[in-house]
Amino acid sequence: MQPTERFSDRAAVYTRGRPTYPDAIVAHLRAAGALPAGAVVVDIGVGTGLSSEPFLRAGCSVIGVEPNAPMRAVGDERLAHYGRYRSVGGSAEDTTLASGCAHLVVAGQAFHWFDPERAGAEARRLLVPGGWAALIWNDRPATGTPFLEGYEALLKSYGIDYEKVSH
């Protein structure tokens, strides 16, 4: 199975099982100088849009880039009430977007699918001078309680290619 097709048959339920992203991401990036007022954010591997929501709630414009059409369609529907969101079919290595279109390029939980060298070149092409890129993700503790350790063992035993994507 191609990584871009991994969630095609379960795009509609994907958002129910995935964690959201905190608004603190926006505050942190603003404090660092990475997110000016009125910023345009390009969210690479946007999937169903979970990683775009903190930026949209903060008033940013977001362009989601997603190669998986069913995932992109779910994201488009979920985020339709934000007037500053649109998506395109594309990949981290070939977004189809114009050069210099973004103040910030982000990838949430998706970077492990990218060709780092080619995706980095594409991100630099998208950014305005002085623009930033940020990788964001949610961590889950794997040890410390019997539940966490049991869940981790379950994923290792039955998860499809879990060892490849658990980093």
Side-chain angles (χ1 to χ4, degrees):
M1 175 186 305
Q2 294 295 321
T4 56
E5 299 169 8
R6 183 179 181 93
F7 299 105
S8 294
D9 63 345
R10 53 190 177 261
V13 297
Y14 181 90
T15 55
R16 290 195 305 244
R18 299 294 288 199
T20 59
Y21 292 87
D23 291 331
I25 290 170
V26 173
H28 176 76
L29 291 169
R30 282 209 169 122
L35 199 60
V40 175
V41 177
V42 172
D43 188 345
I44 310 256
V46 68
T48 62
L50 291 171
S51 50
S52 291
E53 283 195 290
F55 300 101
L56 291 164
R57 284 192 297 266
C60 299
S61 295
V62 178
I63 305 167
V65 178
E66 175 57 45
N68 183 300
M71 293 286 280
R72 193 171 60 254
V74 169
D76 288 348
E77 184 177 333
R78 279 188 68 248
L79 302 175
H81 65 282
Y82 293 105
R84 296 169 316 282
Y85 180 78
R86 70 178 177 96
S87 72
V88 298
S91 67
E93 301 80 12
D94 182 16
T95 63
T96 75
L97 298 174
S99 296
C101 67
H103 298 95
L104 175 67
V105 172
V106 298
Q109 305 287 127
F111 186 74
H112 59 279
W113 301 116
F114 302 171
D115 175 317
E117 188 173 312
R118 291 179 53 223
E122 181 69 353
R124 286 187 295 278
R125 186 186 70 76
L126 296 175
L127 290 168
V128 300
W132 288 54
L135 304 177
I136 58 176
W137 61 91
N138 287 302
D139 273 337
R140 172 185 55 80
T143 61
T145 69
F147 174 81
L148 292 173
E149 291 164 12
Y151 184 61
E152 185 71 9
L154 180 74
L155 290 172
K156 286 181 177 179
S157 295
Y158 298 102
I160 298 170
D161 67 10
Y162 176 71
E163 294 292 335
K164 292 180 185 176
V165 300
S166 64
H167 59 283

